[in-house]
Amino acid sequence: SYELTQPPSVSVSPGQTASITCFGNKLGDKYACWYQQKPGQSPVLVIYQNNKRPSGIPERFSGSNSGNTATLTISGTQAMDEADYYCQAWDSSTVVFGGGTKLTVL
Amino acid sequence: EVQLLESGGGLVPPGGALRLSCAASGFTFSSYDMRWVRQAPGKGLEWVSSISRGGSTYYADSVKGRFAISRDNSKNTLYLQMNSLRAEDTAIYYCARLNEVISPASDYWGQGTLVTVSS
C-alpha cells in the first residue's frame, strides 16, 4: 500500500520560514494537499492540489510537489501557526495521510 | 454555510456494533463524494472509507468487511455502520466533504464523534 512519510516534529522561530516535507514514491505524479490541526479542533485545509490556497488561508502558506517530495512552507511563521500538519494524497481510489508533523514555534 | 454534524458515538464493548451519522447542510449533499476519517487518541489522521455521489464505496484494509458506508440523499445524511468493533477502532470519527474542484482534498470537516471500544 502507498505510504507518505513526514518528520515527527519541526521547530521554527517566530518570523522565520518553516518547511515541512512529505515523502512518497513518485508523489510528484499525484496531487498533494495539507491540513492544519490545532489541539481539540478538526483539521483545516491549508493547501490543495500541491500549491493552491483555499479562501481565507493566509498568503504565508505555500506548497510545492516534485519528484518524491511535497513541501509545505510557512513564511514569516507566527505563534498561531503552531499545530500539527498532515499531508494527504490519493492512490488507487484510497486516501492516504502522512503521519503528521508537529510544528513548534519558539 | 456548510455544516457537517456527526452523531452516534459512544462506549461499546469489543465485538459490538455502532452506527455513526453525519448530517449535512448548506450545500447540495447529493453532488459530493463524502468520506470518514478517524483519529485515535494522540495519533494521526487515518482514512476509513469513502462513498461517491453515485454510491461507489471504498474502504481502508483495516476496516474492510467490518464497516459499511452509506448515504441517504433524501435526508442529507452520511452513515458508517461499524460491526465487530475492536479496541483499535477507538478514535474520533470525522466526516468530511470531498470537493471535486479541489480533489483529492476535503474542504469541510465535522467536529467529530468519539467512539470508545472497551469492556
Side-chain angles (χ1 to χ4, degrees):
Chain A
S1 61
Y2 194 77
E3 294 185 357
L4 294 174
T5 302
Q6 298 179 234
S9 62
V10 168
S11 297
V12 63
S13 300
Q16 298 304 301
T17 297
S19 295
I20 300 173
T21 57
C22 175
F23 177 87
N25 185 41
K26 297 182 180 180
L27 180 57
D29 292 344
K30 310 176 190 296
Y31 275 139
C33 60
W34 292 88
Y35 301 94
Q36 175 194 70
Q37 187 181 35
K38 297 181 178 179
Q41 298 183 17
S42 302
V44 173
L45 180 68
V46 294
I47 292 290
Y48 67 94
Q49 291 179 351
N50 300 331
N51 54 19
K52 299 180 173 68
R53 278 180 294 105
S55 173
I57 300 301
E59 290 184 9
R60 64 180 181 273
F61 288 86
S62 63
S64 63
N65 185 15
S66 179
N68 296 317
T69 305
T71 303
L72 172 68
T73 302
I74 310 172
S75 304
T77 307
Q78 300 182 9
M80 68 173 66
D81 300 328
E82 186 164 286
D84 294 327
Y85 291 86
Y86 296 90
C87 60
Q88 182 234 298
W90 200 21
D91 180 73
S92 302
S93 297
T94 64
V95 178
V96 183
F97 288 98
T101 298
K102 180 176 181 59
L103 177 67
T104 301
V105 182
L106 39 68
Chain B
E1 179 191 5
V2 172
Q3 288 193 336
L4 298 170
L5 186 61
E6 302 94 336
S7 60
L11 176 64
V12 59
L18 211 56
R19 189 177 83 155
L20 306 183
S21 299
C22 171
S25 60
F27 66 102
T28 305
F29 178 71
S30 60
S31 296
Y32 289 83
D33 295 2
M34 300 292 295
R35 55 178 61 149
W36 288 97
V37 176
R38 69 185 180 184
Q39 186 169 35
K43 302 297 184 182
L45 301 175
E46 180 189 16
W47 172 71
V48 174
S49 181
S50 298
I51 186 167
S52 72
R53 289 166 291 176
S56 296
T57 59
Y58 308 90
Y59 298 94
D61 288 343
S62 58
V63 305
K64 201 171 294 182
R66 299 188 298 123
F67 290 11
I69 190 172
S70 62
R71 62 191 301 161
D72 186 336
N73 290 335
S74 68
K75 295 182 178 180
N76 292 336
T77 302
L78 176 72
Y79 300 102
L80 185 67
Q81 177 66 44
M82 304 186 296
N83 300 327
S84 303
L85 283 162
R86 307 166 179 167
E88 55 265 36
D89 295 319
T90 293
I92 296 173
Y93 285 73
Y94 297 99
C95 69
R97 185 180 86 165
L98 171 61
N99 189 330
E100 185 181 57
V101 174
I102 63 170
S103 182
S106 286
D107 55 353
Y108 286 95
W109 296 63
Q111 86 292 343
T113 187
L114 177 62
V115 172
T116 303
V117 183
S118 175
S119 54

